[in-house]
Structure formats: C-alpha cells, structure tokens
Amino acid sequence: MAEEIEQRYDPAVIEPKWQQRWAADPGLYAAEPADCGKPKYYVLEMLPYPSGALHMGHVRNYSIGDALARQMWMRGYNVLHPMGWDAFGLPAENAALKNHTPPREWTLANIAAMKRQFLRLGMGFDWATEVTTCMPEYYRWNQWFFLKMYEKGLAYRKKSKVNWCPECATVLANEQVVDGCCWRHEDTIVEQRDLVQWFLRITAYAEELLNDLAKLDGWPEKVRTMQRNWIGRSEGTEVDFFLSEKVDQGLGTEGPGTRGEGTGNKGQGSGVRARGSESEGAGNREQGTERQADPAAAQRNDDLPMGSQIFQRNADLSMGTAIPLLSARKDSWLEAAQRGNAVRIRVFTTRVDTIFGATSVQLAPQHALVAKLTADNPALKAQVDELIEQQKKAREAGDLGAIEKHGIATGRVAINPYNGQPVPIWVANYILADYGTGAIMSVPGHDERDFEFATKYGLEIRQVIAPVSESGTAEDEAVLPFVSEDGVLINSGEFDGLKSMDAQMLLQSVASSRGFGEAKVTYRLKDWGVSRQRYWGTPIPMIYCDKDGIVPVPEEQLPVLLPEAIEITQQGGSPLGRVGEFVNVTCPKCGGPAKRETDTMDTFVDSSWYFYRYPDAKNSTAPFDPKIAKYWFPIDQYIGGVEHAILHLIYSRFWTKVMRDLGLITNDEPVARLFTQGMVIKDGAKMSKSKGNVVSPDDMVARYGADSARMYSLFASPPDRDLDWQEDGVAGVSRFLGRVWRLVTKYSALARSIGDHSHPFRTNVQTAGPSTPLRYAQEDGAPEREARKPEGLSLKLLRKMHQTTAKITLDFEGRWHFNTCVAAIMELVNEIQGADAQLAAGALEPQVMRELLRTVVLLLAPFAPYLAAELWEELGEEGAVLRAEWPKSDPELAKEDELEFAVQVNGKLVSVVKVAADADGAAMEAAARADERVQARIAGKTVVKAIVVPGKLVNLVVK
RNA sequence: GCGGAAGUGGUGAAAUGGCAAACACACUAGCCUUAGGAGCUAGCGCCGCGAGGCUUAGGGGUUCAAGUCCCCUCUUCCGCACCA
C-alpha cells in the first residue's frame, strides 16, 4: 500500500531534489573555454527587469531558450547560456517613494526572489556569469563607453526640445514615446520641454544601421521592416527659396535657424486676407507679385530662356553639357538675391523635379522664420499660436496623421530660385518643425497633402509632370494630383521633356553649382537623448567647471559611484542634484571647484551591451576581453519579445558598431538570429492586474510542477504565436508526464537488468559530429555489433521511435514547432503504452525496452529537465542527462514497410489502399484500379488520365 | 490611409499543393475503487436512422488535386502614419 502511493509522479518531490543536486554542481551549465574543440553556441534570452516576480511571458521566453540550450548541449556544442538583470530604472525609485526602501535594497531583494524562481523552474543558466547592471562593476563600463564616445564626438550636449513625462519626472527618448504618451505610462501625455541634454550620435551610423539590415537574414522580416521604417531614410534635395524682401540686413543665409527681425508692417492683416483668398482662385500669385520688393525678380520672364533648347525635348539627358550650360547661366534676380544676402527659406523635398509646380512655400508653425515674421504682427502671431496648439493637441492624441489641415498666409513672398517666380509663404499645421528643414515647397499638382491644402485655400494647382503613355510620349491629360515618379516634365522651362528621375539629378546639380541647394539625405531617426533626471541609473561621468567648461571624468577615477542613502523625491529635478558631496568636486583640469553632471543615463544604455559582458563577466580592467568576445560573437540565437524590435535592438546594433570602431570587437552586428516569441494571453486578453487575469508562475509550479508549466508553455502553441493560457492544459501535460513516469518506472528494472549497454538494432553505426545530427553514433567505447533487423512489436515501436527522433531533431534545426515536438513524444509514449499488455507479457527484449525508454527520456530532456533527470537515473544511466548524447535517427529503421496511399477519382477521395513500401507508381496504379470502391466509381467510364504521385496518391480522371 | 500577420471543431491547435481536424483540453458513456486535480476503455466537425452528403471567414480563379498558390471582399491583431 505505502509503496503504491509512492509510485505516483510527484514533481513536488522530484524537482526540489534535482534542484539541490544541480545547485551543488555549478559547472553543469558552464560554458567551456574557446580551446575546448567544440563548436560554440551562444543562446541568449532577453534579461528581465527585476520587478520582483517572473510572469508567464518570462516562463515562456526562458522555456524556449532553455530547451534550445539543452538540446545544443546534448548535441555536443559548447553552449553559453547566461542570465542577468536589467536592474536600473524608475520602478525602484517609485518603490522607494512608496515604501521608503532604498532602490538598491529593493532591487537586490527582487533579484534574489526572481533568481529563486528561475532556479525552481530549473532553467539551465550559468549563474557564475550573472550580470547585474546596477552594480558598479558593470555600470563603470557604461561610463567608460560614454567617455570613449565623448572623445570620438559621439556623445555631445545640446539644448533641445525634449519629451518630458510628468509621471516619470524625466526626459524620454523619441523611441520611448508611444502615441504621444509615455511608454511606461500609457495614459500620461508627454510634454515638450527645452532642456540641455546629452545625446549619443546614433545618426552617425544611420546609413550603416539601415544597410546592414540586409545582412540580418536570421531576423524576422517584421523586425527589419520596423527598423527600416524607424530609421526612415529619405533621399531628396534641399533648395533655398529667397525671401523677396530682407528681414534683416545682417543675417539670413541659414535655413530653419534663420534669425532676424521681421519688418512686420507689410504682413499686417495678411492673415485675414488668406481666408478671403479662398474664392480668389489663383489670386495669390498676383498677391505675391505685387508685394515683390526685389525689382530684379520682376524681370524673371526676360531672364528665363524659356524657348531655348539646352537639350531636346524627350532626348536623352546629356548631363555633361547640360550642367555647365545651366550652371554658367546668370540670372540677374538670382545674383541680386545672393549678393544682397536675401533671407533664404530652405525647403526639403524628395520631388525637386516638380519644383516648377510649386505654388506656395509652407513653413512649420515653429519654424524660426515664422517667429520673425510675426514679431510685429500680433494678429498673425495669434493665428500661428493656434496652429501650434492644434499640432500639439494632435501630437498628444497620437493622431498627427488625422489633423485637419489649417494654414495662414503670411502675406510674404518667396522666390523660386529656378525660375524667379514668386510664391506666397504660408504657415501650416501639417508641417513638422523637426523633420527636414521644417519648410516645404507646396506642389498641389503632384502631392496629395498639398493638393488637399491648395483646394481648401484656393491656391493655384499647376501640372508639371505628365504621365508617359505606352508609346513613351507625354500625355498632357492626367488626374491631379498625379504623384507618380513615372512621368516627364512639362511647364518646366528648359527642363521640359526630362524624365522625373533624370530631372531630379539635373536640378540637384544645378542647385549646388549655383549655390542655392544640394542633394540631401534625411532620416527620421534622431540622435539618442540619454540624459535622465533620475537617481537610479548610471551617473554620467562629466564635470562642469567655470573655468574649463565641460570636463570628462578621468578614466582612472571611474566609476563615478551613485551615492547611497539619499532621499528620493520626484520634485525639483534630479535627486543627485541635492547631494552636495556628489555634486561638488574639484575640476580634474584646474583643481578648482566644479560640479558634477547630476543626470543619469537612460537604462537602455545598460541593455545595449550587457551580452558582451557575460562571457567575461568578472573582468575588472576592461568591459571584456576582445579575444573572448571574438570567440563568442555574434550571438547565435537571441530570443525575446517583439516589443523590443526598435528600442533595445537598434540601440544594441548601434553600440556594437561603436565598439567595433573602438577596436573592441570585429563583428558588425551583435545577433545572427533573432526570434520573437508571441505573448501569453488569458481569456483572449493580455494578462494584467487591472483585468484580473494574471496567472502566477509560482502557483503553476506549486500545483503542477515546473516541468508541466514549462512544457505546457511550449505545447499550447508554436512559439512565435500568442499563447492562450488554459490551466486545464497544464493539468493535461502534467498527466502526460505522470504517464511517462509510470511507464519508465514500470519497466526500468527490466532495462537496468542488462549489463551490456550496446544497441542491437542499429544499422548504420558511425560516429558523427555535432553538425551531423541525423547520422547514427555508437555509444562511447561500445563495440560495433552486427546489425539485426527487428521484427513484430520491436520493429513497430522502434520505427515510431526513430520517426519521432527525426521529427524533433529537424524541428530544433529551424522550424521550432515545439508544440508538435511535444505532441510527437506523446504519440510515441501512447504507442508504447498501447502495447502494455504485450510488454507486461514480456514481448520485448530488454535491450529494445531499454532503448525505447532511454530515447523517450532523452527526447523529453530539453522540455522537462527535472523528470528527464529523475528517469535517467531511474534507468541506471550515469552522468547528467544534459550531457548525454542526443539520440540519432536511423533512416533505415524509421522507414515504413507498408505504404498507405489515397485514391481519388476526379480529385475526390474514394479509397485508401495499401501496398508494399517499395512499390513503384505502376504498382500503385494497379492496386488502385483493383480496389472495389474505385471499381464501382469508374465502372462504365473511361479513365482519361491517371496521376500517380509515388508514395502519396493516385488520382484517376474519368469521363 | 499604407504595410504586415492571421482567420480551421465547443477550446488550444495539426497538416513540404496530395487522406482536413494529428496531439491535447473540454464534454458524453462505461469500467476501476486507493473516491483522485487519479487510472483505464470507447465516443466526440456539421447534416442524416442510414447509404451518403457537406465542411478550413465569404466570393471568384489556377490545378488532375487548394486550408495551403493568385485576385476581390469581410473581420481581428500588429507596425507605420500629413516624415515633404
């Protein structure tokens, strides 16, 4: 009786037992040195933030990575599988406010708690290489990197408009603003503030970050697309329009930064006029003309060689002659404007070929020139302020794209440098100050947005691109706006007849040679603002001296330690600013009194390079040894949530390139293969406290054991899809593991009874390296034996076993459908169990039984490590199952000797027929025609055609 | 609006263009009794007593053959969104 009770699968007994044994063997999950002779495999899961408890998303993430790591160990690789803590960050400060626990204490306690969870889950991490980013041993290297970047001009300070989260009381990077709100506080609208901030010059690598995406063929296309969009490269042209009057004698050659005082008086009342102009059609053009202050511009028509044929219409472009001719031409109005230092309005456009269709210039409300133009015109300024307000509201609501277009005519006029034509200057709420130059030329004939705007305000719409007909000639008729770049220029003076693309190049050359523009590549990506006005982060190692200005902390003085025992508040700027002994230092240059930077670094700095630290985690003289990094990098497989597709992964790529240029590493990219797993959801919704649908891993482990929780998270759906957590499913997996346990314990004595552990039924015995997984290998030292062909039940079960092994091995190689892997093991176990009556009667030789049970345990080992360890021992095997050799599938034994195939008549399934496995197509067809049900279907009809797919099916087409 | 992914039983899901629904969950019936979050047997897409027919969001197409490929529509999720 008592014995019977003991014979139940009880993870609550098995798992703690093995957890203890593993804890006593710290080398178990340790990677070996580079010269171990094995191929390396670096498998990494994204490190968690130590919030205090793991959630189901973690369990899933780490179950995937751990299964992979374990399988690679079994395949003989030198596996690095580390873990660490993304330990800086705001929640620690919030906790400090709430509970009066110092952030450090709170964080370390959380780490301890979560580490216990990891250990209880049986995750195979090498804790000897643990990295905790809030420890000085780690963050000193953040500071070191910062100094290196400062030396190379990659870290710089500037005042700028920044995203400010009132809830966090700190600045956010662009990447951390989601729909106008804080990424941590979805309901908190991000404000814009002017602050002096430290930036990392990620834009210096924009081109490489973009181009190298092409190399990352082991990354999901989705992530690459997201990064491509985020970088947002756009090729175009910057062109100066000239203000037809001088705003300020002394200045005016800059674009958006133009300074100067508006003359003001001329603009008075123009805003009112703009509204009135709606009914005037093209009247604005006249308005511009009459306001022209530069007499030279009035001569434009005489200056333009409208009829001259610098190159022939529709003829091939001859740049070589065209450029010098055009460049040498002298337009008196242009010369006058340039000589007179006329104020330039620099616009960015990707369609400079449409510039003859520009019928206005549109400025962002926050464009520097707008302030000058409205300085003496309160009415106009009030209207501009309204546009700014609209833009701000739209930005906050997150739907800048849906903003209703509003604009105001300034009453001023700008001159198109290509033809001297005046166009009115407007201010519009759909123009962004921080993209391009903050100003555009509006071409309503060939741009959707400009068309909408021009229609609304009655601005002129002029067609300058004609679609090309099939015969290659220009068609003058087109529905406007015609936005295609597949067209030829019309109404564009001497450029008429050029193809759009050719015209872009030519117009660019003309602009640069005549000094009013240039080709320009613009990125959406902005430099990475890393200053945070918070305490719990890496102090920025900079000192401000009245005499010497900005002075970097000398390298030998690192780390700049975070002071302990300070009061955390969210008021009055950075908490460090109130710690006198931290702030007040002596200047490293002059020895005089100076002050430290009191901002800390964005925590994404920590996670940008933490994985380089793992292989050399104890290094106290460098962030890591380049030789060690060279061996381990790039990471072979990185696994994490898709929510890090932009932030973490683009920063990490940037950091890698910087480290490469510092000579620390040789790889261009940190990660060869990236896998983004799906979310864990419950009842169709993301788990969250507010929805009350959170499932705790501790609960699951307590009720069903770690193996069941882990295996369910792999079984319930393929890893890239979302997983719906159903507790009944966990129970089902637990029952399955119970069946395995009963099966193995029932026959383990039999399996153990054989002293000779060689395998009687291996047909193509040969030694195989880790990279040839499907080949068969003999166990170490065992003598080769004569192959025997198994029969009957042995054959049936061994065949299933070899088929299962092949399927799972293949899945690990790439497809990663671990759900069907688990299902396959279930099928195998079901089949063995289905023969239990025969097994109990002794139908199998002990060797076969042993081989079956042994293989089941080995196949289970990546998914249910505790049970596998227990049963491995139960089978009398020595050593860790983790280091046992992954089973090899023997194709001979996996092969079926009977073939079942479908027979269709006119594509409809009629029968299923069996033939010998080696039957050819003719034999299959004959067997198909002989089948009764098939006969009934084809009787009295003619078989027109017979499609035979060997090994698959026969389809008889009849009439 | 643009781009991407997805849509299959009561549920999670499976299926290199070749027998749709493997493996589980839930459910139903029966057995067992150590009455368990246990085990075993059988059933379980829909219609139909049955023979048989129908079925992968809806509609079209390609093919001997389509859940799978192509086109259109609908729905859900994700990303991007006046980026000039």
Side-chain angles (χ1 to χ4, degrees):
Chain A
M1 283 278 267
E3 253 182 8
E4 291 281 315
I5 289 167
E6 274 171 27
Q7 278 186 11
R8 290 184 49 182
Y9 166 56
D10 191 356
V13 172
I14 294 172
E15 296 184 352
K17 169 184 143 189
W18 284 97
Q19 194 187 320
Q20 274 192 355
R21 288 215 208 165
W22 293 338
D25 182 10
L28 185 64
Y29 301 120
E32 296 171 61
D35 59 6
C36 68
K38 299 175 181 175
K40 68 98 183 177
Y41 194 80
Y42 189 172
V43 54
L44 180 71
E45 298 105 68
M46 290 179 186
L47 83 178
Y49 177 79
S51 59
L54 293 174
H55 52 70
M56 277 305 167
H58 289 126
V59 172
R60 189 181 196 198
N61 187 188
Y62 301 124
S63 294
I64 295 167
D66 199 40
L68 180 65
R70 286 171 185 277
Q71 206 256 355
M72 293 308 278
W73 263 309
M74 293 174 76
R75 282 177 50 187
Y77 283 81
N78 182 22
V79 176
L80 177 62
H81 189 217
M83 188 42 64
W85 309 96
D86 189 14
F88 270 138
L90 208 48
E93 284 182 68
N94 294 338
L97 276 171
K98 214 170 140 190
N99 317 322
H100 303 287
T101 319
R104 181 187 156 91
E105 199 177 298
W106 182 85
T107 303
L108 295 183
N110 286 350
I111 288 174
M114 290 170 76
K115 194 166 170 181
R116 271 197 301 278
Q117 288 183 296
F118 269 134
L119 291 169
R120 182 62 189 81
L121 283 164
M123 296 295 171
F125 298 126
D126 179 8
W127 291 106
T129 66
E130 180 177 3
V131 166
T132 303
T133 61
C134 68
M135 304 303 272
E137 303 87 84
Y138 183 79
Y139 71 69
R140 68 171 294 181
W141 302 112
N142 285 344
Q143 296 171 341
W144 185 83
F145 280 122
F146 193 93
L147 294 177
K148 295 290 169 198
M149 291 197 201
Y150 181 72
E151 278 170 28
K152 300 196 75 175
L154 291 171
Y156 66 97
R157 215 164 91 110
K158 75 169 180 196
K159 183 175 180 177
S160 74
K161 286 227 182 316
V162 293
N163 309 299
W164 178 270
C165 172
E167 196 69 30
C168 298
T170 188
V171 159
L172 303 176
N174 287 340
E175 290 80 357
Q176 291 163 346
V177 179
V178 180
D179 290 340
C181 293
C182 172
W183 67 301
R184 306 195 72 100
H185 303 99
E186 289 172 21
D187 301 322
T188 306
I189 291 163
V190 170
E191 301 166 2
Q192 301 294 307
R193 290 197 181 181
D194 273 314
L195 282 177
V196 180
Q197 299 283 295
W198 282 98
F199 286 84
L200 299 184
R201 210 179 293 277
I202 191 172
T203 53
Y205 289 88
E207 197 68 26
E208 199 190 343
L209 287 168
L210 181 69
N211 291 338
D212 285 358
L213 286 173
K215 293 184 197 165
L216 298 177
D217 53 3
W219 284 39
E221 192 52 51
K222 178 190 168 80
V223 173
R224 294 200 280 173
T225 303
M226 284 167 73
Q227 293 215 350
R228 207 171 285 126
N229 291 341
W230 187 262
I231 295 166
R233 183 181 197 274
S234 155
E235 272 181 29
T237 312
E238 283 188 3
V239 180
D240 292 328
F241 280 63
F242 293 90
L243 198 62
S244 64
E245 58 198 306
K246 285 168 194 151
V247 174
D248 181 334
Q249 193 68 29
L251 291 161
T253 50
E254 296 296 319
T258 300
R259 286 173 183 277
E261 288 165 31
T263 47
N265 53 347
K266 285 190 179 178
Q268 232 158 25
S270 59
V272 178
R273 172 123 189 219
R275 301 219 178 263
S277 71
E278 274 182 319
S279 56
E280 289 175 20
N284 278 36
R285 194 173 155 193
E286 281 162 23
Q287 175 194 1
T289 311
E290 71 192 29
R291 289 190 171 276
Q292 242 158 225
D294 184 348
Q299 302 169 18
R300 69 194 184 280
N301 288 329
D302 304 328
D303 287 341
L304 282 175
M306 279 298 189
S308 71
Q309 298 295 301
I310 290 165
F311 35 77
Q312 291 183 337
R313 194 184 174 99
N314 285 334
D316 282 344
L317 179 61
S318 173
M319 291 283 198
T321 54
I323 293 171
L325 276 167
L326 284 167
S327 301
R329 207 180 73 200
K330 297 200 189 319
D331 292 328
S332 56
W333 55 268
L334 178 61
E335 294 200 313
Q338 289 177 329
R339 198 170 45 239
N341 268 350
V343 174
R344 296 169 186 237
I345 303 170
R346 177 153 278 215
V347 304
F348 175 69
T349 177
T350 55
R351 290 297 304 276
V352 69
D353 55 308
T354 65
I355 197 164
F356 285 74
T359 56
S360 65
V361 162
Q362 302 283 343
L363 304 179
Q366 310 235 22
H367 191 283
L369 183 61
V370 173
K372 310 305 165 199
L373 294 177
T374 59
D376 291 342
N377 188 339
L380 189 60
K381 183 168 189 319
Q383 288 179 300
V384 168
D385 287 345
E386 204 173 307
L387 296 179
I388 292 174
E389 193 56 31
Q390 287 161 5
Q391 226 173 39
K392 192 176 151 199
K393 275 196 185 133
R395 196 185 290 271
E396 286 169 356
D399 58 350
L400 209 55
I403 194 170
E404 197 193 327
K405 292 182 180 55
H406 290 296
I408 300 160
T410 61
R412 309 304 179 91
V413 167
I415 306 299
N416 181 338
Y418 286 96
N419 62 5
Q421 281 206 5
V423 293
I425 300 172
W426 285 61
V427 181
N429 65 356
Y430 71 99
I431 308 302
L432 307 172
D434 58 359
Y435 185 79
T437 60
I440 66 152
M441 61 178 200
S442 177
V443 185
H446 304 282
D447 182 280
E448 298 274 3
R449 297 155 300 186
D450 296 343
F451 184 84
E452 187 190 329
F453 190 87
T455 306
K456 175 170 176 176
Y457 288 105
L459 296 173
E460 187 194 350
I461 298 166
R462 193 187 307 161
Q463 185 185 357
V464 290
I465 305 290
V468 180
S469 71
E470 281 178 21
S471 59
T473 57
E475 289 177 348
D476 287 341
E477 289 304 308
V479 180
L480 298 184
F482 175 70
V483 298
S484 165
E485 279 183 82
D486 199 7
V488 296
L489 275 65
I490 57 172
N491 302 324
S492 300
E494 64 271 37
F495 301 96
D496 278 0
L498 282 174
K499 290 182 195 149
S500 280
M501 296 303 232
D502 296 336
Q504 283 174 20
M505 288 167 66
L506 182 60
L507 286 160
Q508 262 170 13
S509 306
V510 170
S512 55
S513 59
R514 298 176 76 189
F516 58 76
E518 60 195 331
K520 180 84 180 183
V521 174
T522 299
Y523 299 93
R524 210 183 77 116
L525 180 74
K526 298 276 182 289
D527 278 338
W528 176 11
V530 291
S531 296
R532 295 293 179 274
Q533 293 67 47
R534 304 307 321 155
Y535 162 71
W536 193 233
T538 306
I540 294 173
M542 287 291 165
I543 290 168
Y544 305 105
C545 172
D546 283 342
K547 190 160 152 273
D548 297 307
I550 299 174
V551 183
V553 173
E555 212 174 300
E556 60 277 9
Q557 285 179 25
L558 297 183
V560 177
L561 287 170
L562 263 185
E564 300 278 333
I566 80 152
E567 197 206 344
I568 307 284
T569 70
Q570 286 200 329
Q571 269 76 50
S574 178
L576 288 177
R578 290 188 298 275
V579 183
E581 57 270 37
F582 177 82
V583 176
N584 298 311
V585 287
T586 53
C587 171
K589 265 193 186 160
C590 68
K595 297 208 181 291
R596 277 195 198 283
E597 169 67 63
T598 57
D599 284 352
T600 52
M601 295 183 202
D602 182 5
T603 57
F604 277 101
V605 167
D606 309 332
S607 54
S608 291
W609 69 278
Y610 73 100
F611 35 79
Y612 286 96
R613 181 77 177 163
Y614 282 136
D616 195 18
K618 301 281 191 281
N619 198 323
S620 58
T621 57
F624 53 85
D625 180 343
K627 283 199 299 291
I628 294 175
K630 192 174 169 64
Y631 173 71
W632 285 106
F633 278 83
I635 293 164
D636 295 278
Q637 182 69 61
Y638 198 22
I639 304 166
V642 73
E643 65 271 21
H644 296 108
I646 293 175
L647 289 154
H648 164 55
L649 289 170
I650 212 162
Y651 294 146
S652 295
R653 296 183 58 223
F654 161 64
W655 211 277
T656 287
K657 291 173 192 306
V658 171
M659 291 198 308
R660 178 202 58 199
D661 292 347
L662 288 171
L664 287 169
I665 52 172
T666 53
N667 51 300
D668 295 322
E669 289 287 338
V671 175
R673 283 173 58 89
L674 174 71
F675 186 88
T676 53
Q677 95 269 13
M679 282 190 308
V680 177
I681 57 176
K682 177 111 196 298
D683 309 323
K686 194 175 171 177
M687 286 187 191
S688 72
K689 275 184 196 151
S690 57
K691 291 194 190 87
N693 62 348
V694 177
V695 178
S696 143
D698 287 345
D699 269 11
M700 289 297 121
V701 170
R703 292 190 206 184
Y704 304 102
D707 280 343
S708 296
R710 291 178 54 160
M711 201 155 127
Y712 172 74
S713 76
L714 296 173
F715 175 60
S717 68
D720 55 329
R721 288 245 286 266
D722 283 352
L723 181 154
D724 191 57
W725 194 270
Q726 296 185 359
E727 194 171 323
D728 285 335
V730 189
V733 170
S734 171
R735 285 199 293 272
F736 167 69
L737 293 178
R739 287 212 305 281
V740 175
W741 190 88
R742 282 196 303 278
L743 176 70
V744 174
T745 51
K746 185 169 179 180
Y747 296 105
S748 58
L750 183 68
R752 273 199 310 266
S753 68
I754 343 158
D756 178 4
H757 279 184
S758 62
H759 302 266
F761 297 128
R762 294 182 166 176
T763 57
N764 64 339
V765 173
Q766 52 182 281
T767 308
S771 56
T772 53
L774 290 176
R775 293 281 176 72
Y776 221 116
Q778 182 66 297
E779 245 178 271
D780 288 348
E784 285 198 14
R785 293 170 64 103
E786 200 178 326
R788 263 201 293 147
K789 180 81 177 166
E791 297 169 338
L793 185 61
S794 294
L795 175 61
K796 184 177 169 230
L797 297 180
L798 286 171
R799 177 180 293 150
K800 184 74 180 176
M801 181 193 92
H802 283 277
Q803 288 170 348
T804 306
T805 302
K807 184 249 180 306
I808 295 174
T809 306
L810 196 62
D811 247 309
F812 266 109
E813 305 252 296
R815 208 178 69 137
W816 280 25
H817 279 196
F818 298 130
N819 55 331
T820 60
C821 291
V822 174
I825 299 173
M826 288 174 170
E827 281 188 57
L828 173 61
V829 170
N830 289 350
E831 190 149 329
I832 298 171
Q833 251 193 337
D836 193 54
Q838 289 163 276
L839 300 187
L844 284 191
E845 314 175 39
Q847 284 99 331
V848 177
M849 184 63 93
R850 175 175 181 275
E851 172 115 25
L852 283 170
L853 299 182
R854 202 176 175 276
T855 302
V856 166
V857 171
L858 289 171
L859 293 178
L860 216 45
F863 309 112
Y866 282 118
L867 180 63
E870 174 74 11
L871 295 179
W872 192 243
E873 187 177 67
E874 173 72 19
L875 286 171
E877 300 283 352
E878 302 202 344
V881 65
L882 179 71
R883 303 289 180 172
E885 194 188 359
W886 183 251
K888 305 287 194 292
S889 177
D890 181 335
E892 278 302 309
L893 283 174
K895 208 157 71 181
E896 297 281 353
D897 52 14
E898 249 189 346
L899 167 68
E900 236 184 24
F901 64 94
V903 183
Q904 300 176 338
V905 174
N906 286 345
K908 291 195 90 165
L909 180 72
V910 169
S911 187
V912 175
V913 173
K914 272 187 190 174
V915 292
D918 54 1
D920 60 7
M924 281 174 64
E925 189 182 336
R929 283 173 184 269
D931 185 81
E932 272 178 37
R933 266 173 294 189
V934 176
Q935 293 258 318
R937 289 298 180 106
I938 63 175
K941 294 178 176 160
T942 320
V943 177
V944 185
K945 195 173 172 189
I947 287 109
V948 180
V949 183
K952 287 278 167 68
L953 99 175
V954 171
N955 185 10
L956 301 173
V957 185
V958 301
K959 258 188 194 166

